[in-house]
């Protein structure tokens, strides 16, 4: 288990519900998604003030910044600037909007608040969440990014240097710590070289689980054992087959991770009569 706290806890701080002139609200993409002005203009053209909701702001020394609801706030700014055609009733309704204003937050706190507010929704993609977390200095994202940079890997790329499935990679750091992620990426590269499927998050998760549970294993020997299983694409397919029990059952993320654990443990045990490790029952 990692020794560092990777929770999204935010310290107790003042929160007020205030009427705010949207034209005074600022934006900072380091703790927020990137502003899509075209999307905001579309919102502005069809804005129903009573359905505006309550944007969340952070009170900083130099003003109030949008933490959540940025596009709704910008839509109000567009309306008040006369850049779209709306009724006078709508324009008057958005001269002041009710906002949830948080005070005393650090940049990392703002990022955590944004992620918490959006985590269970489909509003924020995992790659954007990762980018925001890194820029805001949240330790989970920073530690993960440090390891990825050491391996010259980029999030979201489909190249031989690209990691897809960043949520799975973050889960490895949360559960096992950045050292295990570092070791697992090294083992995968030693086994298969640099290919897009070398960095498959579920495969890396299986290696991480085995190395976390069995730190006595020799990484170089495990890499050779995995290499004998075939290329990384074939190993990825093997995990899928195990997870679905030859396509007879549905698989979820947890099922694939258990299957990856089984596949990696099985690779280590292959042709071995001693120093075998337990193989999990993934259908328990």
């Amino acid at each position: 288990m990692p020794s560092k706290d990777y929770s999204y806890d935010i310290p107790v701080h003042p929160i007020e519900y205030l009427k705010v002139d949207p034209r005074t609200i600022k934006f900072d993409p380091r703790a927020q998604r990137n502003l899509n002005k075209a999307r905001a203009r579309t919102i502005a053209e069809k804005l129903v003030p009573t359905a505006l909701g309550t944007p969340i702001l952070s009170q900083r020394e130099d003003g109030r910044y949008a933490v959540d609801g940025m596009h709704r706030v910008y839509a109000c700014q567009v309306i008040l600037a006369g850049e779209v055609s709306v009724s006078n009733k709508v324009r008057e309704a958005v001269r002041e909007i009710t906002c949830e204003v948080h005070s005393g937050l650090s940049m990392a706190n703002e990022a955590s608040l944004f992620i918490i507010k959006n985590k269970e929704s489909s509003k924020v993609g995992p790659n954007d969440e990762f980018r925001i977390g890194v820029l805001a200095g949240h330790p989970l994202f920073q530690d993960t990014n440090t390891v990825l940079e050491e391996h010259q890997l980029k999030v979201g790329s489909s190249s031989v240097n690209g990691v897809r499935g960043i949520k799975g990679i973050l889960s490895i750091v949360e559960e096992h710590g950045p050292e295990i992620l570092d070791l697992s990426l090294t083992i995968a590269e030693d086994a298969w070289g640099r290919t897009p499927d070398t960095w498959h998050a579920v495969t890396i998760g299986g290696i991480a689980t085995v190395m976390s549970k069995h730190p006595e294993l020799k990484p170089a020997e495990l890499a050779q054992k995995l290499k004998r299983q075939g290329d990384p694409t074939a190993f990825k397919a093997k995990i899928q087959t195990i997870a679905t029990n030859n396509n007879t059952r549905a698989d979820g993320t947890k099922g694939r991770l258990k299957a990856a654990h089984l596949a990696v443990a099985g690779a280590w045990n292959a042709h071995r009569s001693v120093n075998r490790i337990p193989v999990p029952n993934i259908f328990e």
Side-chain angles (χ1 to χ4, degrees), residues 41-233:
R41 288 179 183 278
T42 299
I43 293 172
E45 291 167 355
K46 302 177 181 179
L47 186 72
V48 178
T50 53
L52 184 63
T54 307
I56 298 172
L57 312 181
S58 177
Q59 180 69 61
R60 300 185 190 172
E61 290 184 0
D62 64 335
R64 293 172 178 148
Y65 285 78
V67 173
D68 191 49
M70 174 175 63
H71 288 92
R72 285 172 285 154
V73 169
Y74 189 76
C76 293
Q77 293 179 353
V78 167
I79 289 171
L80 293 174
E83 296 178 19
V84 294
S85 178
V86 297
S87 69
N88 287 333
K89 183 178 179 180
V90 170
R91 186 172 290 104
E92 288 301 315
V94 300
R95 290 193 183 278
E96 286 191 324
I97 59 177
T98 300
C99 297
E100 182 182 303
V101 183
H102 295 245
S103 300
L105 297 181
S106 67
M107 179 68 69
N109 295 154
E110 288 183 17
S112 291
L113 180 60
F114 173 80
I115 291 168
I116 289 169
K117 292 292 186 181
N118 290 278
K119 198 168 181 61
E120 301 306 322
S121 73
S122 60
K123 292 190 232 176
V124 183
N127 293 344
D128 277 340
E129 180 183 340
F130 181 76
R131 175 184 58 80
I132 292 165
V134 170
L135 290 173
H138 191 285
L140 172 61
F141 300 95
Q142 277 196 322
D143 286 356
T144 304
N145 190 57
T146 296
V147 174
L148 294 180
E149 286 187 339
E150 287 175 354
H151 288 266
Q152 299 179 316
L153 295 172
K154 294 182 179 181
V155 172
S157 170
S158 59
S159 73
V160 296
N161 299 316
V163 172
R164 290 171 291 173
I166 186 59
K167 288 182 72 173
I169 299 297
L170 288 167
S171 295
I172 293 170
V173 175
E174 264 189 308
E175 187 171 350
H176 305 297
E179 297 81 8
I180 290 292
L181 174 60
D182 182 27
L183 179 60
S184 301
L185 292 171
T186 298
I187 290 170
E189 184 171 358
D190 287 348
W192 298 304
R194 300 183 74 87
T195 80
D197 279 336
T198 297
W199 321 116
H200 179 50
V202 174
T203 301
I204 301 300
I207 297 171
T209 300
V210 167
M211 292 309 299
S212 180
K213 289 179 177 291
H214 306 283
E216 74 280 3
L217 300 188
K218 295 179 179 179
E221 188 173 353
L222 177 57
Q224 286 303 310
K225 288 280 191 176
L226 290 171
K227 185 176 183 178
R228 294 185 191 123
Q229 296 290 309
D231 64 29
T233 305

Side-chain angles (χ1 to χ4, degrees), residues 263-284:
V264 174
W268 173 265
N269 288 339
H271 310 295
R272 181 186 295 277
S273 58
V274 295
N275 297 326
R276 294 171 63 86
I277 60 176
V279 176
N281 180 357
I282 70 169
F283 299 121
E284 288 180 332

